[in-house]
Amino acid sequence: MIDFHCHLDLYPNPWQVVEECQIRKVIVLSVTTTPSAWHGTFALGASSPNIYTALGLHPELACQRRFELDLFDQYLPLTPYVGEIGLDGSPELQGSWPMQQDVFRRILASCAVAGGRLLSIHSRRAIIPVLDCLAAQPDAGTAVLHWFSGNNQELTRAIEQRCWFSVGPMMLCSKKGRALVAKMPQDRIITETDGPFTRVDNRPLLPWDADRAVSVLCEIWGLPLVEAREQLLQNVQSLLDRHTKVLGHAT
Ligand code: MN
């Protein structure tokens, strides 16, 4: 089971969630929304070999927390994983747009200087600007577009730019989401929840709920469950292999 974009630190009972992840052997990319949250979130996964903690600065907080960029650079050598980062072009965030771009570009530049990172990227209403920033920093690392919500043309460009995609149960609820996923390369897809921000049955999605996406992927791919799971495991392994080598030691 794989949840490659989850805000473990934002659950009301994070240690309980971590314990359950260990029992269920869920592979988790635990993203953070601010550099100042790094140490606390890292501690949550520190004794779980399947929890990988990413250093992030969420676009919705980029403006308000831009002074934490120095902290970002300071912590970057500690992890091969970066997220949640990106851009958000929603109308309510228009005021912070120039600053969001500054922050995102600076983060990508830091990642390039550091030798590349695995990047979990938010791109709501901002796919093209995100892809432009990535194209300008080809050494920033491997981009995993989380919850892709663009159109077909944008998807084609993202695929051409060698992006990966993390897809969750919410995205697969809609016909549009399923049609997009059907066009994504099968060997560049992994599952996610974006919990606790996403909800089902009046409760937040938990990391193991990423499994709900797998049965939909089976239908889309025309594969039996066991083969779809195998494909996803191979995908996550090849993604992690690329970046655990970055720092020259196992993480
Ligand atoms: Mn998120």
Side-chain angles (χ1 to χ4, degrees), residues 186 214 217-218 221-235:
Q186 211 169 300
V214 184
L217 287 172
C218 283
W221 292 344
L223 286 179
L225 191 62
V226 55
E227 285 178 37
R229 279 194 206 289
E230 186 53 37
Q231 172 79 63
L232 291 164
L233 272 177
Q234 278 177 21
N235 292 354

PDB file of all heavy atoms in Angstrom, residues 186 214 217-218 221-235:
ATOM      1  N   GLN A 186       1.559   4.209 -17.346  1.00  0.00           N
ATOM      2  CA  GLN A 186       1.319   3.287 -16.236  1.00  0.00           C
ATOM      3  C   GLN A 186       2.531   3.152 -15.298  1.00  0.00           C
ATOM      4  O   GLN A 186       2.372   2.878 -14.116  1.00  0.00           O
ATOM      5  CB  GLN A 186       1.007   1.922 -16.846  1.00  0.00           C
ATOM      6  CG  GLN A 186       0.087   1.075 -16.046  1.00  0.00           C
ATOM      7  CD  GLN A 186      -0.366  -0.135 -16.860  1.00  0.00           C
ATOM      8  OE1 GLN A 186      -0.969   0.008 -17.918  1.00  0.00           O
ATOM      9  NE2 GLN A 186      -0.083  -1.313 -16.368  1.00  0.00           N
ATOM     10  N   VAL A 214      -6.639   1.884  -5.877  1.00  0.00           N
ATOM     11  CA  VAL A 214      -6.057   0.767  -6.628  1.00  0.00           C
ATOM     12  C   VAL A 214      -7.126   0.000  -7.409  1.00  0.00           C
ATOM     13  O   VAL A 214      -6.908  -0.385  -8.562  1.00  0.00           O
ATOM     14  CB  VAL A 214      -5.255  -0.179  -5.704  1.00  0.00           C
ATOM     15  CG1 VAL A 214      -4.585  -1.275  -6.513  1.00  0.00           C
ATOM     16  CG2 VAL A 214      -4.200   0.596  -4.921  1.00  0.00           C
ATOM     17  N   LEU A 217      -7.802   1.865 -10.473  1.00  0.00           N
ATOM     18  CA  LEU A 217      -6.686   1.720 -11.421  1.00  0.00           C
ATOM     19  C   LEU A 217      -6.754   0.368 -12.142  1.00  0.00           C
ATOM     20  O   LEU A 217      -6.454   0.280 -13.330  1.00  0.00           O
ATOM     21  CB  LEU A 217      -5.342   1.876 -10.696  1.00  0.00           C
ATOM     22  CG  LEU A 217      -4.995   3.305 -10.266  1.00  0.00           C
ATOM     23  CD1 LEU A 217      -3.741   3.321  -9.395  1.00  0.00           C
ATOM     24  CD2 LEU A 217      -4.784   4.218 -11.477  1.00  0.00           C
ATOM     25  N   CYS A 218      -7.180  -0.665 -11.422  1.00  0.00           N
ATOM     26  CA  CYS A 218      -7.351  -1.993 -12.038  1.00  0.00           C
ATOM     27  C   CYS A 218      -8.279  -1.921 -13.239  1.00  0.00           C
ATOM     28  O   CYS A 218      -8.007  -2.474 -14.284  1.00  0.00           O
ATOM     29  CB  CYS A 218      -8.014  -2.958 -11.063  1.00  0.00           C
ATOM     30  SG  CYS A 218      -6.913  -3.562  -9.842  1.00  0.00           S
ATOM     31  N   TRP A 221      -6.681   0.146 -16.076  1.00  0.00           N
ATOM     32  CA  TRP A 221      -5.569  -0.566 -16.722  1.00  0.00           C
ATOM     33  C   TRP A 221      -5.975  -1.919 -17.293  1.00  0.00           C
ATOM     34  O   TRP A 221      -5.216  -2.537 -18.031  1.00  0.00           O
ATOM     35  CB  TRP A 221      -4.424  -0.775 -15.718  1.00  0.00           C
ATOM     36  CG  TRP A 221      -3.728   0.489 -15.310  1.00  0.00           C
ATOM     37  CD1 TRP A 221      -3.781   1.697 -15.936  1.00  0.00           C
ATOM     38  CD2 TRP A 221      -2.849   0.663 -14.173  1.00  0.00           C
ATOM     39  NE1 TRP A 221      -2.999   2.617 -15.274  1.00  0.00           N
ATOM     40  CE2 TRP A 221      -2.422   2.012 -14.198  1.00  0.00           C
ATOM     41  CE3 TRP A 221      -2.396  -0.181 -13.164  1.00  0.00           C
ATOM     42  CZ2 TRP A 221      -1.554   2.540 -13.225  1.00  0.00           C
ATOM     43  CZ3 TRP A 221      -1.531   0.336 -12.201  1.00  0.00           C
ATOM     44  CH2 TRP A 221      -1.121   1.684 -12.234  1.00  0.00           C
ATOM     45  N   GLY A 222      -7.149  -2.406 -16.876  1.00  0.00           N
ATOM     46  CA  GLY A 222      -7.553  -3.733 -17.313  1.00  0.00           C
ATOM     47  C   GLY A 222      -6.659  -4.820 -16.740  1.00  0.00           C
ATOM     48  O   GLY A 222      -6.318  -5.784 -17.428  1.00  0.00           O
ATOM     49  N   LEU A 223      -6.249  -4.627 -15.502  1.00  0.00           N
ATOM     50  CA  LEU A 223      -5.347  -5.589 -14.853  1.00  0.00           C
ATOM     51  C   LEU A 223      -6.002  -6.168 -13.602  1.00  0.00           C
ATOM     52  O   LEU A 223      -6.771  -5.479 -12.935  1.00  0.00           O
ATOM     53  CB  LEU A 223      -4.058  -4.895 -14.401  1.00  0.00           C
ATOM     54  CG  LEU A 223      -3.008  -4.490 -15.430  1.00  0.00           C
ATOM     55  CD1 LEU A 223      -1.841  -3.789 -14.734  1.00  0.00           C
ATOM     56  CD2 LEU A 223      -2.503  -5.704 -16.201  1.00  0.00           C
ATOM     57  N   PRO A 224      -5.688  -7.425 -13.266  1.00  0.00           N
ATOM     58  CA  PRO A 224      -6.144  -7.953 -11.977  1.00  0.00           C
ATOM     59  C   PRO A 224      -5.471  -7.209 -10.821  1.00  0.00           C
ATOM     60  O   PRO A 224      -4.374  -6.659 -11.002  1.00  0.00           O
ATOM     61  CB  PRO A 224      -5.710  -9.423 -11.996  1.00  0.00           C
ATOM     62  CG  PRO A 224      -4.889  -9.628 -13.209  1.00  0.00           C
ATOM     63  CD  PRO A 224      -4.917  -8.399 -14.047  1.00  0.00           C
ATOM     64  N   LEU A 225      -6.133  -7.210  -9.669  1.00  0.00           N
ATOM     65  CA  LEU A 225      -5.659  -6.450  -8.507  1.00  0.00           C
ATOM     66  C   LEU A 225      -4.186  -6.728  -8.184  1.00  0.00           C
ATOM     67  O   LEU A 225      -3.398  -5.810  -7.953  1.00  0.00           O
ATOM     68  CB  LEU A 225      -6.544  -6.783  -7.303  1.00  0.00           C
ATOM     69  CG  LEU A 225      -6.368  -5.906  -6.071  1.00  0.00           C
ATOM     70  CD1 LEU A 225      -6.711  -4.450  -6.378  1.00  0.00           C
ATOM     71  CD2 LEU A 225      -7.238  -6.414  -4.923  1.00  0.00           C
ATOM     72  N   VAL A 226      -3.803  -7.995  -8.197  1.00  0.00           N
ATOM     73  CA  VAL A 226      -2.450  -8.355  -7.803  1.00  0.00           C
ATOM     74  C   VAL A 226      -1.415  -7.743  -8.761  1.00  0.00           C
ATOM     75  O   VAL A 226      -0.355  -7.282  -8.331  1.00  0.00           O
ATOM     76  CB  VAL A 226      -2.315  -9.895  -7.638  1.00  0.00           C
ATOM     77  CG1 VAL A 226      -2.758 -10.625  -8.894  1.00  0.00           C
ATOM     78  CG2 VAL A 226      -0.909 -10.302  -7.268  1.00  0.00           C
ATOM     79  N   GLU A 227      -1.756  -7.683 -10.042  1.00  0.00           N
ATOM     80  CA  GLU A 227      -0.813  -7.091 -11.008  1.00  0.00           C
ATOM     81  C   GLU A 227      -0.755  -5.572 -10.903  1.00  0.00           C
ATOM     82  O   GLU A 227       0.309  -4.969 -11.067  1.00  0.00           O
ATOM     83  CB  GLU A 227      -1.171  -7.507 -12.438  1.00  0.00           C
ATOM     84  CG  GLU A 227      -0.791  -8.941 -12.724  1.00  0.00           C
ATOM     85  CD  GLU A 227      -1.183  -9.395 -14.128  1.00  0.00           C
ATOM     86  OE1 GLU A 227      -1.094  -8.587 -15.071  1.00  0.00           O
ATOM     87  OE2 GLU A 227      -1.603 -10.562 -14.253  1.00  0.00           O
ATOM     88  N   ALA A 228      -1.885  -4.966 -10.623  1.00  0.00           N
ATOM     89  CA  ALA A 228      -1.900  -3.511 -10.447  1.00  0.00           C
ATOM     90  C   ALA A 228      -1.058  -3.131  -9.223  1.00  0.00           C
ATOM     91  O   ALA A 228      -0.273  -2.179  -9.253  1.00  0.00           O
ATOM     92  CB  ALA A 228      -3.332  -3.006 -10.289  1.00  0.00           C
ATOM     93  N   ARG A 229      -1.221  -3.902  -8.143  1.00  0.00           N
ATOM     94  CA  ARG A 229      -0.414  -3.649  -6.938  1.00  0.00           C
ATOM     95  C   ARG A 229       1.066  -3.804  -7.228  1.00  0.00           C
ATOM     96  O   ARG A 229       1.893  -3.015  -6.759  1.00  0.00           O
ATOM     97  CB  ARG A 229      -0.777  -4.663  -5.844  1.00  0.00           C
ATOM     98  CG  ARG A 229      -2.020  -4.325  -5.088  1.00  0.00           C
ATOM     99  CD  ARG A 229      -2.082  -5.206  -3.825  1.00  0.00           C
ATOM    100  NE  ARG A 229      -3.437  -5.399  -3.385  1.00  0.00           N
ATOM    101  CZ  ARG A 229      -4.181  -4.451  -2.824  1.00  0.00           C
ATOM    102  NH1 ARG A 229      -3.681  -3.242  -2.658  1.00  0.00           N
ATOM    103  NH2 ARG A 229      -5.419  -4.695  -2.455  1.00  0.00           N
ATOM    104  N   GLU A 230       1.417  -4.819  -8.000  1.00  0.00           N
ATOM    105  CA  GLU A 230       2.807  -5.076  -8.349  1.00  0.00           C
ATOM    106  C   GLU A 230       3.380  -3.902  -9.164  1.00  0.00           C
ATOM    107  O   GLU A 230       4.488  -3.429  -8.914  1.00  0.00           O
ATOM    108  CB  GLU A 230       2.887  -6.398  -9.135  1.00  0.00           C
ATOM    109  CG  GLU A 230       4.288  -6.882  -9.452  1.00  0.00           C
ATOM    110  CD  GLU A 230       5.199  -6.979  -8.229  1.00  0.00           C
ATOM    111  OE1 GLU A 230       4.708  -7.362  -7.155  1.00  0.00           O
ATOM    112  OE2 GLU A 230       6.396  -6.645  -8.359  1.00  0.00           O
ATOM    113  N   GLN A 231       2.588  -3.437 -10.118  1.00  0.00           N
ATOM    114  CA  GLN A 231       3.023  -2.298 -10.934  1.00  0.00           C
ATOM    115  C   GLN A 231       3.303  -1.074 -10.050  1.00  0.00           C
ATOM    116  O   GLN A 231       4.332  -0.406 -10.180  1.00  0.00           O
ATOM    117  CB  GLN A 231       1.935  -1.958 -11.957  1.00  0.00           C
ATOM    118  CG  GLN A 231       2.175  -0.672 -12.738  1.00  0.00           C
ATOM    119  CD  GLN A 231       3.175  -0.833 -13.870  1.00  0.00           C
ATOM    120  OE1 GLN A 231       2.949  -1.575 -14.814  1.00  0.00           O
ATOM    121  NE2 GLN A 231       4.305  -0.135 -13.785  1.00  0.00           N
ATOM    122  N   LEU A 232       2.385  -0.803  -9.116  1.00  0.00           N
ATOM    123  CA  LEU A 232       2.545   0.369  -8.247  1.00  0.00           C
ATOM    124  C   LEU A 232       3.769   0.230  -7.348  1.00  0.00           C
ATOM    125  O   LEU A 232       4.487   1.209  -7.112  1.00  0.00           O
ATOM    126  CB  LEU A 232       1.273   0.579  -7.415  1.00  0.00           C
ATOM    127  CG  LEU A 232       0.050   1.031  -8.230  1.00  0.00           C
ATOM    128  CD1 LEU A 232      -1.239   0.837  -7.436  1.00  0.00           C
ATOM    129  CD2 LEU A 232       0.186   2.502  -8.648  1.00  0.00           C
ATOM    130  N   LEU A 233       4.008  -0.983  -6.876  1.00  0.00           N
ATOM    131  CA  LEU A 233       5.190  -1.212  -6.026  1.00  0.00           C
ATOM    132  C   LEU A 233       6.482  -1.016  -6.810  1.00  0.00           C
ATOM    133  O   LEU A 233       7.434  -0.413  -6.321  1.00  0.00           O
ATOM    134  CB  LEU A 233       5.156  -2.616  -5.428  1.00  0.00           C
ATOM    135  CG  LEU A 233       4.412  -2.747  -4.114  1.00  0.00           C
ATOM    136  CD1 LEU A 233       4.388  -4.209  -3.678  1.00  0.00           C
ATOM    137  CD2 LEU A 233       5.064  -1.884  -3.012  1.00  0.00           C
ATOM    138  N   GLN A 234       6.479  -1.516  -8.042  1.00  0.00           N
ATOM    139  CA  GLN A 234       7.658  -1.309  -8.900  1.00  0.00           C
ATOM    140  C   GLN A 234       7.883   0.171  -9.141  1.00  0.00           C
ATOM    141  O   GLN A 234       9.008   0.662  -9.112  1.00  0.00           O
ATOM    142  CB  GLN A 234       7.453  -1.977 -10.260  1.00  0.00           C
ATOM    143  CG  GLN A 234       7.757  -3.458 -10.272  1.00  0.00           C
ATOM    144  CD  GLN A 234       7.455  -4.067 -11.649  1.00  0.00           C
ATOM    145  OE1 GLN A 234       7.389  -3.373 -12.656  1.00  0.00           O
ATOM    146  NE2 GLN A 234       7.257  -5.374 -11.663  1.00  0.00           N
ATOM    147  N   ASN A 235       6.776   0.881  -9.379  1.00  0.00           N
ATOM    148  CA  ASN A 235       6.885   2.324  -9.642  1.00  0.00           C
ATOM    149  C   ASN A 235       7.502   3.050  -8.444  1.00  0.00           C
ATOM    150  O   ASN A 235       8.434   3.830  -8.591  1.00  0.00           O
ATOM    151  CB  ASN A 235       5.506   2.929  -9.924  1.00  0.00           C
ATOM    152  CG  ASN A 235       4.908   2.445 -11.232  1.00  0.00           C
ATOM    153  OD1 ASN A 235       5.569   1.741 -11.999  1.00  0.00           O
ATOM    154  ND2 ASN A 235       3.666   2.815 -11.495  1.00  0.00           N
TER     155      ASN A 235
END
